[in-house]
Amino acid sequence: MTKLSLLAGQINIPAMTTAEERDAHLRIVTAKLHQQLTAKPHDLVVLPELSTVDYSRAAFAELSVLAEDLDGPSIKAFGTLAKEHNTTIVFGMPRKAEDHFKISQVAVGPDGSVIGYYDKLHICQYGASMEKEYFEKGDHLFSFSVKGVKVAPIICYDIRIPELNRTLALQHGVDLILHSGAYARDESFFSWHDFVVTRALENQIFFLSLNRAGENFGNSTFCPPWTDENTPRVSFPQTDEHFASIELDTATLDQVREDYTFRKDLLKDYAGLQHQEPELLNQ
């Protein structure tokens, strides 16, 4: 059995259009995390999608100054913090990639260096989202291990594509999905938690779904691999900034997968099954 302590930050992110404002925000966030980690060490720290910048047209119009390379101020700030507290930090930022921009989750390890990064595969363009006007989609998956727990980041809209989550869980052995978002309270907000519970239960994995704080955001949640009336998911405040300390262990995964044999009962091939049409039954 492996135990993992997770610190999830539903953080406030102010409006910004300059690098100076971004860096001031970074100083505030890292100071808050330093306080949390000093009070209680954690193995893994997670922040929301684009946690270094505002989610707005005003900010996206200034990506030429707000976006960063993998050796920029955000990497240095979170890398320094990770090294000081011997932890792994996963955070979101707009990433410069040749002549375009990506929505990225970056992981920095206990030595302060970049472990790897994931670029959002599914770019959202409905409701309050306008990402296709500013960003390009990613082209790879990314997973890593913390204390023997295999972890993979995905980003916001990615949760609504079941094939991605299924591939991470079944083909890559991921135990914990870190789903970081910027869920505004548009027409898709109500259905968000239904997807969280479904992805956790159908794949029998831990699932953190982390939003930013604020009047138009909030309501992050953490879902274990099984929920019922005795085992609820963890609910964050509706809008307020909040740092949640969550303990999870692989024994829970093992027990759920033994009790509910979804994975064992999977057929090897569904595409190859014969499909009967009603008219064929009458011939």
Side-chain angles (χ1 to χ4, degrees):
M1 179 182 71
T2 299
K3 293 187 177 182
L4 177 72
S5 59
L6 168 65
L7 179 65
Q10 178 175 286
I11 60 170
N12 288 315
I13 302 174
M16 66 182 74
T17 55
T18 68
E20 291 76 17
E21 290 170 321
R22 178 202 62 205
D23 294 348
H25 165 62
L26 281 173
R27 289 191 292 272
I28 291 171
V29 172
T30 52
K32 290 177 179 178
L33 289 176
H34 172 72
Q35 184 178 31
Q36 293 286 329
L37 293 168
T38 299
K40 180 182 178 181
H42 288 80
D43 304 307
L44 179 62
V45 179
V46 188
L47 294 175
E49 175 185 17
L50 295 175
S51 48
T52 65
V53 301
D54 185 23
Y55 191 102
S56 68
R57 285 190 179 276
F60 293 169
E62 301 300 329
L63 286 174
S64 60
V65 296
L66 292 176
E68 304 175 54
D69 299 318
L70 290 176
D71 60 355
S74 295
I75 299 289
K76 293 174 182 175
F78 288 116
T80 298
L81 184 69
K83 187 173 184 179
E84 180 178 0
H85 290 279
N86 191 35
T87 190
T88 298
I89 301 177
V90 180
F91 69 96
M93 72 174 205
R95 187 175 70 83
K96 292 180 180 178
E98 299 175 351
D99 60 347
H100 57 271
F101 304 103
K102 306 278 193 179
I103 297 175
S104 303
Q105 288 293 116
V106 182
V108 292
D111 65 354
S113 66
V114 174
I115 297 172
Y117 63 91
Y118 167 76
D119 299 324
K120 190 173 186 176
L121 284 177
H122 306 96
I123 304 300
C124 193
Q125 190 74 22
Y126 63 77
S129 299
M130 57 315 212
E131 296 165 5
K132 291 183 180 179
E133 300 170 41
Y134 301 97
F135 298 97
E136 298 291 332
K137 65 182 180 180
D139 61 5
H140 68 276
L141 303 178
F142 167 54
S143 62
F144 60 99
S145 293
V146 180
K147 293 189 67 177
V149 177
K150 198 163 188 183
V151 179
I154 66 172
I155 303 174
C156 211
Y157 185 34
D158 285 334
I159 194 178
R160 302 184 187 254
I161 312 299
E163 289 80 2
L164 169 61
N165 300 270
R166 200 68 161 166
T167 297
L168 289 169
L170 298 187
Q171 295 186 25
H172 298 284
V174 167
D175 303 311
L176 166 63
I177 286 183
L178 305 178
H179 173 237
S180 294
Y183 271 103
R185 293 175 182 269
D186 60 15
E187 59 268 27
S188 69
F189 191 86
F190 179 81
S191 65
W192 160 34
H193 287 169
D194 294 333
F195 280 88
V196 175
V197 175
T198 299
R199 295 292 168 261
L201 269 62
E202 70 185 0
N203 293 304
Q204 299 186 307
I205 54 176
F206 294 107
F207 207 103
L208 172 67
S209 193
L210 184 62
N211 203 8
R212 56 182 60 200
E215 183 179 357
N216 198 40
F217 297 97
N219 280 130
S220 302
T221 190
F222 174 81
C223 192
W226 181 259
T227 59
D228 54 28
E229 66 275 19
N230 300 312
T231 310
R233 57 184 173 83
V234 176
S235 295
F236 289 54
Q238 184 169 339
T239 57
D240 291 346
E241 183 169 85
H242 181 69
F243 295 91
S245 179
I246 300 167
E247 306 291 328
L248 55 92
D249 64 73
T250 55
T252 300
L253 292 173
D254 295 338
Q255 189 64 55
V256 167
R257 293 170 187 174
E258 180 178 342
D259 292 344
Y260 304 99
T261 56
F262 306 157
R263 290 183 174 218
K264 293 179 182 178
D265 295 334
L266 276 172
L267 302 183
K268 290 184 178 180
D269 179 24
Y270 290 88
L273 292 174
Q274 182 181 6
H275 177 215
Q276 283 192 337
E277 297 286 352
E279 60 268 21
L280 294 178
L281 299 177
N282 299 321
Q283 293 180 357

